[in-house]
Amino acid sequence: MDHRKYMTILKLDEAAIASRRAFFAVSDEDLARLASLRPLAEKIIDAIVEDFYALLLSHPDTRKFFADEATIRRVKRTQREYFMGLFAGRCDLAYVEDRLRVGAMHERIGLAPTWYLGAYRQYLELIRQHFDAQLTEQGAARDGFLSVQRLVFFDVALAIDTYIAANLEALGRHQAAVRELSTPVIRVHDRVLLLPLVGTVDSHRAQQIMESVLTHVVEAQARCIIIDIAGVPVVDTRVADHLLKTAAAVRLLGAQVVLTGITAQVARTMVQLGLDVSSMHTVSRLSEGIELALGMIGKAITAKSK
Amino acid sequence: MSAHSQIPILRIGSTLLVSIQIDLHDAVAEAFQADVLSAIEQRGTTGLVVDISGLDMVDTYVARILAETGRMAKLMGTSTVLVGMRPEVAATLVRMGYGLEGVRTALDLDDGLALLGHVIARR
Amino acid sequence: MIQVAATHRLSIDCEGDIIAVRRRVRDIAELRKFDSFATAAITTASSELARNALVHGGKGVALIEEVTDGSRLGIRIVFEDEGPGIEDIPRVLAGGYTTARSMGLGLSGSKRLVDEFALESTPGSGTKVTVTKWRRF
């Protein structure tokens, strides 16, 4: 997913960024301080990037993300950009967008938050060491480090939000796929549809079935939809009621339901439970249902003459 | 034609054609009913097609106006077909327990006119 | 814990207000990306309940709230009137009330269109109906 899309999903506008900045205590003073540390950052960047990747390459779970020398060269370049970004002295929409790009990239390659957060620990320690060694003025190393830490936590929150948004989006896509699979509507003939139902029908699925059937009937301008229930293990009062509601709604559209796949067992249950399905055309076998449906649109299956 | 309800009523031979495109609030719905019935009264009408494809919502009040209009037309010798109901409207009405039993339905105008032809030929 | 993100208050004094209420509900449902079936369901339920408040209460108020329970977005609507109230609530909800126009099917029908439905009524001091529809994932 494009990082710009995350900006929208996470509702990251000027106001949201201002609110985050206030909570993470990233002040203008911090940004000014970081900008003033830019010459130092340029001086220590090589050492930091080298030491940082030394750790990532030494651990088996993180090493696998760096397949070859070219990859390592590329991520080091990205890392340098990221590092210098901390000392750019700004924390605006463009900055956030840039940070989301990094988060989205990590999500895409499948780097779990564990390793991402663990790597940050190393990153901060390295920065601290260099600050301590280079900023000799009283309190300068501590103040500089605090400013870095504030901005880094701000970045980490953005990355974690990106991870979560990406996972929710994937879950939504999978659920949509399952929904599609649970109501596979097939076009049998011009204006005749078939829905073979397989598996248990609970009230949640029954609602999906009704909505899917109605949408398909109107889209295909179908005169008739055959619902085959041979693959439904239990047909009780509830399931029958759902089927009747679907048939009633299909009738409102101006089309009809033919119910097929009624086994001896199902027929016995229906009669014993006193279920009235007389508002639907019902037949035992799917082939008979298809013939019945074709009859409704003025078509018939005939034997080929020799 | 009468324009109380601002819903135009077209006549094709002995068939009246009404397409509802506006949000029916109560006064409009009742005026619509009155307009349709007086149009039937004026000249020999055998069929009425009501197109509701423009309605994204039909509550029980509007549904009842539609069903009643059909029954009133029937008393005056006119058969009614309701065409173009949207999937969301059908699902909502059925879930509310409002199946519009006794009202003839068709997918679109073509199907509706064809159905009317059959019904009137059988009479 | 249910949090209210936004509130819209509409009074129901005439038939035109029924349309205003359901249009506002539809706009919110569409803006919040409810699917078309859920949008039609909550819009229709609000039309039924707004008419109910007007016809049986003389006038009323609709309080439309955009809510979240942490994982889902929802629309909660409270309809209140100061009419005569309802004597036999179970009978009305079963759809058996046919004395006044659309009363029975209005309440029992809208109950079947929403995810949560609560009816409070004291004879003589009005009726309050609260409905919630959650956005499907």
mmCIF file of all heavy atoms in Angstrom, chain A residues 191 207 210-211 214-215 217-218 221-223 244-246 248-255, chain B residues 82 84-87 90-91 93-95 98-108 111:
data_model
loop_
_atom_site.group_PDB
_atom_site.id
_atom_site.type_symbol
_atom_site.label_atom_id
_atom_site.label_comp_id
_atom_site.label_asym_id
_atom_site.label_seq_id
_atom_site.Cartn_x
_atom_site.Cartn_y
_atom_site.Cartn_z
ATOM 1 N N ARG A 191 -29.625 -14.374 -18.051
ATOM 2 C CA ARG A 191 -30.711 -14.102 -17.100
ATOM 3 C C ARG A 191 -31.060 -15.261 -16.169
ATOM 4 O O ARG A 191 -32.126 -15.266 -15.564
ATOM 5 C CB ARG A 191 -31.963 -13.602 -17.830
ATOM 6 C CG ARG A 191 -31.666 -12.431 -18.775
ATOM 7 C CD ARG A 191 -32.903 -11.733 -19.220
ATOM 8 N NE ARG A 191 -33.376 -10.839 -18.171
ATOM 9 C CZ ARG A 191 -34.426 -10.032 -18.322
ATOM 10 N NH1 ARG A 191 -35.110 -10.036 -19.435
ATOM 11 N NH2 ARG A 191 -34.791 -9.243 -17.344
ATOM 12 N N GLN A 207 -27.478 -13.366 5.928
ATOM 13 C CA GLN A 207 -27.643 -11.975 5.512
ATOM 14 C C GLN A 207 -26.760 -11.661 4.307
ATOM 15 O O GLN A 207 -27.191 -11.017 3.358
ATOM 16 C CB GLN A 207 -27.294 -11.073 6.686
ATOM 17 C CG GLN A 207 -27.822 -9.666 6.514
ATOM 18 C CD GLN A 207 -27.531 -8.822 7.742
ATOM 19 O OE1 GLN A 207 -27.572 -9.309 8.862
ATOM 20 N NE2 GLN A 207 -27.223 -7.569 7.526
ATOM 21 N N MET A 210 -28.314 -13.181 1.235
ATOM 22 C CA MET A 210 -29.425 -12.405 0.696
ATOM 23 C C MET A 210 -28.902 -11.188 -0.077
ATOM 24 O O MET A 210 -29.315 -10.937 -1.214
ATOM 25 C CB MET A 210 -30.364 -11.929 1.803
ATOM 26 C CG MET A 210 -31.607 -11.274 1.226
ATOM 27 S SD MET A 210 -32.465 -10.157 2.305
ATOM 28 C CE MET A 210 -33.520 -11.240 3.219
ATOM 29 N N GLU A 211 -27.970 -10.454 0.522
ATOM 30 C CA GLU A 211 -27.476 -9.244 -0.121
ATOM 31 C C GLU A 211 -26.745 -9.548 -1.427
ATOM 32 O O GLU A 211 -26.906 -8.853 -2.430
ATOM 33 C CB GLU A 211 -26.583 -8.472 0.860
ATOM 34 C CG GLU A 211 -27.410 -7.943 2.019
ATOM 35 C CD GLU A 211 -26.586 -7.318 3.136
ATOM 36 O OE1 GLU A 211 -25.354 -7.223 2.998
ATOM 37 O OE2 GLU A 211 -27.186 -6.930 4.155
ATOM 38 N N LEU A 214 -29.366 -10.599 -4.139
ATOM 39 C CA LEU A 214 -30.117 -9.451 -4.660
ATOM 40 C C LEU A 214 -29.252 -8.594 -5.589
ATOM 41 O O LEU A 214 -29.684 -8.174 -6.657
ATOM 42 C CB LEU A 214 -30.654 -8.595 -3.511
ATOM 43 C CG LEU A 214 -31.666 -9.282 -2.587
ATOM 44 C CD1 LEU A 214 -32.020 -8.380 -1.419
ATOM 45 C CD2 LEU A 214 -32.918 -9.674 -3.353
ATOM 46 N N THR A 215 -28.004 -8.365 -5.167
ATOM 47 C CA THR A 215 -27.107 -7.549 -5.979
ATOM 48 C C THR A 215 -26.845 -8.211 -7.331
ATOM 49 O O THR A 215 -26.894 -7.567 -8.377
ATOM 50 C CB THR A 215 -25.776 -7.325 -5.226
ATOM 51 O OG1 THR A 215 -26.078 -6.792 -3.934
ATOM 52 C CG2 THR A 215 -24.873 -6.362 -5.960
ATOM 53 N N VAL A 217 -28.705 -10.469 -8.875
ATOM 54 C CA VAL A 217 -29.924 -10.543 -9.695
ATOM 55 C C VAL A 217 -30.107 -9.236 -10.464
ATOM 56 O O VAL A 217 -30.355 -9.238 -11.672
ATOM 57 C CB VAL A 217 -31.171 -10.852 -8.825
ATOM 58 C CG1 VAL A 217 -32.457 -10.526 -9.581
ATOM 59 C CG2 VAL A 217 -31.167 -12.319 -8.400
ATOM 60 N N VAL A 218 -29.918 -8.103 -9.769
ATOM 61 C CA VAL A 218 -30.122 -6.816 -10.440
ATOM 62 C C VAL A 218 -29.010 -6.553 -11.462
ATOM 63 O O VAL A 218 -29.260 -6.121 -12.577
ATOM 64 C CB VAL A 218 -30.234 -5.668 -9.415
ATOM 65 C CG1 VAL A 218 -30.145 -4.322 -10.100
ATOM 66 C CG2 VAL A 218 -31.554 -5.788 -8.669
ATOM 67 N N GLN A 221 -29.637 -8.677 -14.321
ATOM 68 C CA GLN A 221 -31.045 -8.612 -14.745
ATOM 69 C C GLN A 221 -31.592 -10.034 -14.872
ATOM 70 O O GLN A 221 -32.267 -10.379 -15.850
ATOM 71 C CB GLN A 221 -31.167 -7.842 -16.068
ATOM 72 C CG GLN A 221 -30.953 -6.346 -15.905
ATOM 73 C CD GLN A 221 -32.106 -5.662 -15.188
ATOM 74 O OE1 GLN A 221 -33.199 -5.520 -15.713
ATOM 75 N NE2 GLN A 221 -31.875 -5.257 -13.942
ATOM 76 N N ALA A 222 -31.295 -10.863 -13.883
ATOM 77 C CA ALA A 222 -31.677 -12.280 -13.933
ATOM 78 C C ALA A 222 -33.154 -12.451 -13.620
ATOM 79 O O ALA A 222 -33.665 -11.847 -12.687
ATOM 80 C CB ALA A 222 -30.831 -13.077 -12.957
ATOM 81 N N ARG A 223 -33.818 -13.280 -14.406
ATOM 82 C CA ARG A 223 -35.224 -13.582 -14.161
ATOM 83 C C ARG A 223 -35.349 -14.612 -13.044
ATOM 84 O O ARG A 223 -36.364 -14.715 -12.383
ATOM 85 C CB ARG A 223 -35.845 -14.182 -15.424
ATOM 86 C CG ARG A 223 -36.190 -13.175 -16.482
ATOM 87 C CD ARG A 223 -37.547 -12.542 -16.180
ATOM 88 N NE ARG A 223 -37.946 -11.647 -17.254
ATOM 89 C CZ ARG A 223 -38.456 -12.095 -18.404
ATOM 90 N NH1 ARG A 223 -38.624 -13.383 -18.602
ATOM 91 N NH2 ARG A 223 -38.791 -11.235 -19.332
ATOM 92 N N LEU A 244 -36.583 -18.345 2.808
ATOM 93 C CA LEU A 244 -37.879 -17.754 2.456
ATOM 94 C C LEU A 244 -37.782 -16.234 2.341
ATOM 95 O O LEU A 244 -38.359 -15.635 1.445
ATOM 96 C CB LEU A 244 -38.929 -18.121 3.512
ATOM 97 C CG LEU A 244 -39.439 -19.559 3.427
ATOM 98 C CD1 LEU A 244 -40.258 -19.916 4.666
ATOM 99 C CD2 LEU A 244 -40.300 -19.738 2.171
ATOM 100 N N LYS A 245 -37.040 -15.625 3.260
ATOM 101 C CA LYS A 245 -36.856 -14.163 3.205
ATOM 102 C C LYS A 245 -36.131 -13.773 1.920
ATOM 103 O O LYS A 245 -36.484 -12.789 1.262
ATOM 104 C CB LYS A 245 -36.039 -13.695 4.410
ATOM 105 C CG LYS A 245 -36.844 -13.566 5.685
ATOM 106 C CD LYS A 245 -36.221 -12.469 6.566
ATOM 107 C CE LYS A 245 -37.035 -12.205 7.809
ATOM 108 N NZ LYS A 245 -36.919 -13.290 8.795
ATOM 109 N N THR A 246 -35.098 -14.552 1.582
ATOM 110 C CA THR A 246 -34.360 -14.273 0.347
ATOM 111 C C THR A 246 -35.289 -14.378 -0.859
ATOM 112 O O THR A 246 -35.276 -13.517 -1.744
ATOM 113 C CB THR A 246 -33.163 -15.240 0.210
ATOM 114 O OG1 THR A 246 -32.335 -15.090 1.358
ATOM 115 C CG2 THR A 246 -32.349 -14.951 -1.041
ATOM 116 N N ALA A 248 -38.505 -13.989 -0.892
ATOM 117 C CA ALA A 248 -39.465 -12.872 -0.872
ATOM 118 C C ALA A 248 -38.819 -11.604 -1.420
ATOM 119 O O ALA A 248 -39.442 -10.847 -2.165
ATOM 120 C CB ALA A 248 -39.955 -12.649 0.561
ATOM 121 N N ALA A 249 -37.552 -11.381 -1.054
ATOM 122 C CA ALA A 249 -36.856 -10.181 -1.529
ATOM 123 C C ALA A 249 -36.583 -10.272 -3.027
ATOM 124 O O ALA A 249 -36.701 -9.282 -3.750
ATOM 125 C CB ALA A 249 -35.556 -9.990 -0.746
ATOM 126 N N VAL A 250 -36.214 -11.465 -3.497
ATOM 127 C CA VAL A 250 -35.967 -11.660 -4.932
ATOM 128 C C VAL A 250 -37.251 -11.394 -5.718
ATOM 129 O O VAL A 250 -37.236 -10.776 -6.776
ATOM 130 C CB VAL A 250 -35.426 -13.086 -5.209
ATOM 131 C CG1 VAL A 250 -35.464 -13.414 -6.700
ATOM 132 C CG2 VAL A 250 -34.004 -13.224 -4.676
ATOM 133 N N ARG A 251 -38.377 -11.819 -5.165
ATOM 134 C CA ARG A 251 -39.658 -11.572 -5.822
ATOM 135 C C ARG A 251 -39.934 -10.064 -5.935
ATOM 136 O O ARG A 251 -40.446 -9.601 -6.949
ATOM 137 C CB ARG A 251 -40.791 -12.246 -5.037
ATOM 138 C CG ARG A 251 -42.120 -12.288 -5.802
ATOM 139 C CD ARG A 251 -43.295 -12.590 -4.900
ATOM 140 N NE ARG A 251 -43.695 -11.440 -4.082
ATOM 141 C CZ ARG A 251 -44.422 -10.417 -4.531
ATOM 142 N NH1 ARG A 251 -44.834 -10.399 -5.783
ATOM 143 N NH2 ARG A 251 -44.732 -9.404 -3.740
ATOM 144 N N LEU A 252 -39.571 -9.314 -4.905
ATOM 145 C CA LEU A 252 -39.774 -7.861 -4.950
ATOM 146 C C LEU A 252 -39.003 -7.221 -6.101
ATOM 147 O O LEU A 252 -39.409 -6.204 -6.646
ATOM 148 C CB LEU A 252 -39.360 -7.216 -3.629
ATOM 149 C CG LEU A 252 -40.328 -7.379 -2.457
ATOM 150 C CD1 LEU A 252 -39.761 -6.707 -1.216
ATOM 151 C CD2 LEU A 252 -41.681 -6.773 -2.807
ATOM 152 N N LEU A 253 -37.874 -7.828 -6.456
ATOM 153 C CA LEU A 253 -37.091 -7.286 -7.569
ATOM 154 C C LEU A 253 -37.734 -7.616 -8.905
ATOM 155 O O LEU A 253 -37.406 -7.012 -9.926
ATOM 156 C CB LEU A 253 -35.675 -7.870 -7.555
ATOM 157 C CG LEU A 253 -34.805 -7.628 -6.338
ATOM 158 C CD1 LEU A 253 -33.463 -8.301 -6.521
ATOM 159 C CD2 LEU A 253 -34.617 -6.138 -6.106
ATOM 160 N N GLY A 254 -38.624 -8.615 -8.894
ATOM 161 C CA GLY A 254 -39.241 -9.041 -10.150
ATOM 162 C C GLY A 254 -38.613 -10.307 -10.706
ATOM 163 O O GLY A 254 -38.725 -10.590 -11.894
ATOM 164 N N ALA A 255 -37.944 -11.081 -9.861
ATOM 165 C CA ALA A 255 -37.333 -12.338 -10.291
ATOM 166 C C ALA A 255 -37.817 -13.472 -9.382
ATOM 167 O O ALA A 255 -38.620 -13.233 -8.476
ATOM 168 C CB ALA A 255 -35.814 -12.226 -10.247
ATOM 169 N N LEU B 82 -44.959 -3.190 -10.307
ATOM 170 C CA LEU B 82 -43.942 -2.343 -9.681
ATOM 171 C C LEU B 82 -42.597 -2.763 -10.271
ATOM 172 O O LEU B 82 -42.246 -3.942 -10.216
ATOM 173 C CB LEU B 82 -43.973 -2.611 -8.175
ATOM 174 C CG LEU B 82 -43.400 -1.603 -7.207
ATOM 175 C CD1 LEU B 82 -44.114 -0.266 -7.347
ATOM 176 C CD2 LEU B 82 -43.550 -2.127 -5.781
ATOM 177 N N GLY B 84 -38.220 -2.152 -11.048
ATOM 178 C CA GLY B 84 -36.945 -1.485 -10.771
ATOM 179 C C GLY B 84 -36.590 -1.299 -9.313
ATOM 180 O O GLY B 84 -35.778 -0.435 -8.971
ATOM 181 N N MET B 85 -37.157 -2.136 -8.430
ATOM 182 C CA MET B 85 -36.792 -1.975 -7.015
ATOM 183 C C MET B 85 -35.311 -2.294 -6.831
ATOM 184 O O MET B 85 -34.790 -3.239 -7.388
ATOM 185 C CB MET B 85 -37.640 -2.881 -6.123
ATOM 186 C CG MET B 85 -37.413 -2.604 -4.644
ATOM 187 S SD MET B 85 -38.315 -3.728 -3.552
ATOM 188 C CE MET B 85 -39.986 -3.178 -3.788
ATOM 189 N N ARG B 86 -34.636 -1.474 -6.040
ATOM 190 C CA ARG B 86 -33.209 -1.684 -5.801
ATOM 191 C C ARG B 86 -32.996 -2.815 -4.789
ATOM 192 O O ARG B 86 -33.835 -3.025 -3.908
ATOM 193 C CB ARG B 86 -32.576 -0.406 -5.245
ATOM 194 C CG ARG B 86 -32.567 0.730 -6.228
ATOM 195 C CD ARG B 86 -31.684 1.834 -5.699
ATOM 196 N NE ARG B 86 -31.830 3.042 -6.490
ATOM 197 C CZ ARG B 86 -31.144 4.158 -6.248
ATOM 198 N NH1 ARG B 86 -30.295 4.195 -5.233
ATOM 199 N NH2 ARG B 86 -31.319 5.217 -6.993
ATOM 200 N N PRO B 87 -31.853 -3.518 -4.877
ATOM 201 C CA PRO B 87 -31.555 -4.618 -3.948
ATOM 202 C C PRO B 87 -31.673 -4.198 -2.478
ATOM 203 O O PRO B 87 -32.250 -4.918 -1.670
ATOM 204 C CB PRO B 87 -30.112 -4.987 -4.275
ATOM 205 C CG PRO B 87 -29.898 -4.559 -5.676
ATOM 206 C CD PRO B 87 -30.783 -3.362 -5.890
ATOM 207 N N ALA B 90 -35.312 -3.897 -1.426
ATOM 208 C CA ALA B 90 -35.952 -5.211 -1.268
ATOM 209 C C ALA B 90 -35.531 -5.857 0.044
ATOM 210 O O ALA B 90 -36.370 -6.365 0.807
ATOM 211 C CB ALA B 90 -35.583 -6.114 -2.447
ATOM 212 N N ALA B 91 -34.233 -5.832 0.339
ATOM 213 C CA ALA B 91 -33.725 -6.450 1.568
ATOM 214 C C ALA B 91 -34.335 -5.778 2.797
ATOM 215 O O ALA B 91 -34.767 -6.444 3.741
ATOM 216 C CB ALA B 91 -32.198 -6.356 1.611
ATOM 217 N N LEU B 93 -37.184 -4.003 3.085
ATOM 218 C CA LEU B 93 -38.620 -4.260 3.238
ATOM 219 C C LEU B 93 -38.873 -5.661 3.788
ATOM 220 O O LEU B 93 -39.677 -5.844 4.703
ATOM 221 C CB LEU B 93 -39.336 -4.077 1.891
ATOM 222 C CG LEU B 93 -39.540 -2.631 1.436
ATOM 223 C CD1 LEU B 93 -40.158 -2.600 0.047
ATOM 224 C CD2 LEU B 93 -40.431 -1.868 2.425
ATOM 225 N N VAL B 94 -38.163 -6.648 3.246
ATOM 226 C CA VAL B 94 -38.380 -8.029 3.696
ATOM 227 C C VAL B 94 -37.956 -8.187 5.159
ATOM 228 O O VAL B 94 -38.632 -8.837 5.950
ATOM 229 C CB VAL B 94 -37.628 -9.021 2.776
ATOM 230 C CG1 VAL B 94 -37.549 -10.402 3.408
ATOM 231 C CG2 VAL B 94 -38.328 -9.102 1.429
ATOM 232 N N ARG B 95 -36.838 -7.553 5.520
ATOM 233 C CA ARG B 95 -36.398 -7.660 6.921
ATOM 234 C C ARG B 95 -37.403 -7.020 7.863
ATOM 235 O O ARG B 95 -37.538 -7.436 9.007
ATOM 236 C CB ARG B 95 -35.013 -7.026 7.090
ATOM 237 C CG ARG B 95 -33.911 -7.949 6.586
ATOM 238 C CD ARG B 95 -32.591 -7.244 6.558
ATOM 239 N NE ARG B 95 -32.056 -7.031 7.890
ATOM 240 C CZ ARG B 95 -30.982 -6.289 8.143
ATOM 241 N NH1 ARG B 95 -30.355 -5.699 7.150
ATOM 242 N NH2 ARG B 95 -30.542 -6.136 9.361
ATOM 243 N N TYR B 98 -42.225 -6.732 5.477
ATOM 244 C CA TYR B 98 -43.121 -6.116 4.521
ATOM 245 C C TYR B 98 -42.839 -6.687 3.137
ATOM 246 O O TYR B 98 -42.018 -6.163 2.397
ATOM 247 C CB TYR B 98 -42.902 -4.596 4.538
ATOM 248 C CG TYR B 98 -44.171 -3.803 4.431
ATOM 249 C CD1 TYR B 98 -44.812 -3.346 5.575
ATOM 250 C CD2 TYR B 98 -44.731 -3.521 3.198
ATOM 251 C CE1 TYR B 98 -45.985 -2.614 5.487
ATOM 252 C CE2 TYR B 98 -45.901 -2.790 3.110
ATOM 253 C CZ TYR B 98 -46.525 -2.343 4.251
ATOM 254 O OH TYR B 98 -47.682 -1.625 4.154
ATOM 255 N N GLY B 99 -43.493 -7.774 2.788
ATOM 256 C CA GLY B 99 -43.192 -8.470 1.536
ATOM 257 C C GLY B 99 -44.003 -8.003 0.341
ATOM 258 O O GLY B 99 -43.838 -8.513 -0.761
ATOM 259 N N LEU B 100 -44.898 -7.029 0.538
ATOM 260 C CA LEU B 100 -45.761 -6.509 -0.542
ATOM 261 C C LEU B 100 -46.474 -7.638 -1.286
ATOM 262 O O LEU B 100 -46.521 -7.635 -2.525
ATOM 263 C CB LEU B 100 -44.951 -5.666 -1.535
ATOM 264 C CG LEU B 100 -44.462 -4.308 -1.041
ATOM 265 C CD1 LEU B 100 -43.544 -3.666 -2.075
ATOM 266 C CD2 LEU B 100 -45.642 -3.368 -0.763
ATOM 267 N N GLU B 101 -46.988 -8.614 -0.522
ATOM 268 C CA GLU B 101 -47.682 -9.732 -1.134
ATOM 269 C C GLU B 101 -48.854 -9.212 -1.967
ATOM 270 O O GLU B 101 -49.536 -8.257 -1.575
ATOM 271 C CB GLU B 101 -48.202 -10.710 -0.053
ATOM 272 C CG GLU B 101 -47.115 -11.532 0.629
ATOM 273 C CD GLU B 101 -46.372 -10.752 1.712
ATOM 274 O OE1 GLU B 101 -46.809 -9.629 2.043
ATOM 275 O OE2 GLU B 101 -45.361 -11.272 2.225
ATOM 276 N N GLY B 102 -49.076 -9.831 -3.107
ATOM 277 C CA GLY B 102 -50.185 -9.411 -3.955
ATOM 278 C C GLY B 102 -49.803 -8.321 -4.941
ATOM 279 O O GLY B 102 -50.583 -7.983 -5.827
ATOM 280 N N VAL B 103 -48.606 -7.751 -4.801
ATOM 281 C CA VAL B 103 -48.154 -6.732 -5.752
ATOM 282 C C VAL B 103 -47.289 -7.416 -6.810
ATOM 283 O O VAL B 103 -46.378 -8.160 -6.475
ATOM 284 C CB VAL B 103 -47.329 -5.634 -5.039
ATOM 285 C CG1 VAL B 103 -46.808 -4.626 -6.046
ATOM 286 C CG2 VAL B 103 -48.154 -4.957 -3.965
ATOM 287 N N ARG B 104 -47.605 -7.177 -8.088
ATOM 288 C CA ARG B 104 -46.791 -7.768 -9.162
ATOM 289 C C ARG B 104 -45.509 -6.962 -9.304
ATOM 290 O O ARG B 104 -45.517 -5.731 -9.198
ATOM 291 C CB ARG B 104 -47.556 -7.754 -10.480
ATOM 292 C CG ARG B 104 -48.659 -8.785 -10.532
ATOM 293 C CD ARG B 104 -49.141 -8.969 -11.970
ATOM 294 N NE ARG B 104 -50.254 -9.900 -11.984
ATOM 295 C CZ ARG B 104 -51.522 -9.538 -11.744
ATOM 296 N NH1 ARG B 104 -51.808 -8.278 -11.472
ATOM 297 N NH2 ARG B 104 -52.476 -10.444 -11.765
ATOM 298 N N THR B 105 -44.414 -7.665 -9.592
ATOM 299 C CA THR B 105 -43.118 -6.976 -9.707
ATOM 300 C C THR B 105 -42.393 -7.414 -10.974
ATOM 301 O O THR B 105 -42.617 -8.512 -11.476
ATOM 302 C CB THR B 105 -42.208 -7.320 -8.506
ATOM 303 O OG1 THR B 105 -42.149 -8.742 -8.381
ATOM 304 C CG2 THR B 105 -42.732 -6.732 -7.213
ATOM 305 N N ALA B 106 -41.519 -6.560 -11.468
ATOM 306 C CA ALA B 106 -40.664 -6.905 -12.610
ATOM 307 C C ALA B 106 -39.355 -6.147 -12.480
ATOM 308 O O ALA B 106 -39.268 -5.141 -11.787
ATOM 309 C CB ALA B 106 -41.349 -6.551 -13.926
ATOM 310 N N LEU B 107 -38.323 -6.707 -13.141
ATOM 311 C CA LEU B 107 -36.981 -6.141 -13.014
ATOM 312 C C LEU B 107 -36.864 -4.734 -13.601
ATOM 313 O O LEU B 107 -36.247 -3.866 -13.013
ATOM 314 C CB LEU B 107 -35.968 -7.051 -13.709
ATOM 315 C CG LEU B 107 -35.600 -8.318 -12.948
ATOM 316 C CD1 LEU B 107 -35.022 -9.346 -13.889
ATOM 317 C CD2 LEU B 107 -34.604 -8.002 -11.840
ATOM 318 N N ASP B 108 -37.424 -4.552 -14.791
ATOM 319 C CA ASP B 108 -37.324 -3.237 -15.419
ATOM 320 C C ASP B 108 -38.579 -2.954 -16.240
ATOM 321 O O ASP B 108 -39.513 -3.760 -16.258
ATOM 322 C CB ASP B 108 -36.052 -3.145 -16.279
ATOM 323 C CG ASP B 108 -36.015 -4.219 -17.359
ATOM 324 O OD1 ASP B 108 -37.060 -4.860 -17.601
ATOM 325 O OD2 ASP B 108 -34.942 -4.412 -17.947
ATOM 326 N N ASP B 111 -39.598 -5.677 -18.897
ATOM 327 C CA ASP B 111 -40.201 -6.844 -18.253
ATOM 328 C C ASP B 111 -41.581 -6.499 -17.707
ATOM 329 O O ASP B 111 -42.512 -7.302 -17.781
ATOM 330 C CB ASP B 111 -39.319 -7.331 -17.086
ATOM 331 C CG ASP B 111 -38.207 -8.250 -17.564
ATOM 332 O OD1 ASP B 111 -37.955 -8.271 -18.784
ATOM 333 O OD2 ASP B 111 -37.600 -8.935 -16.715
#
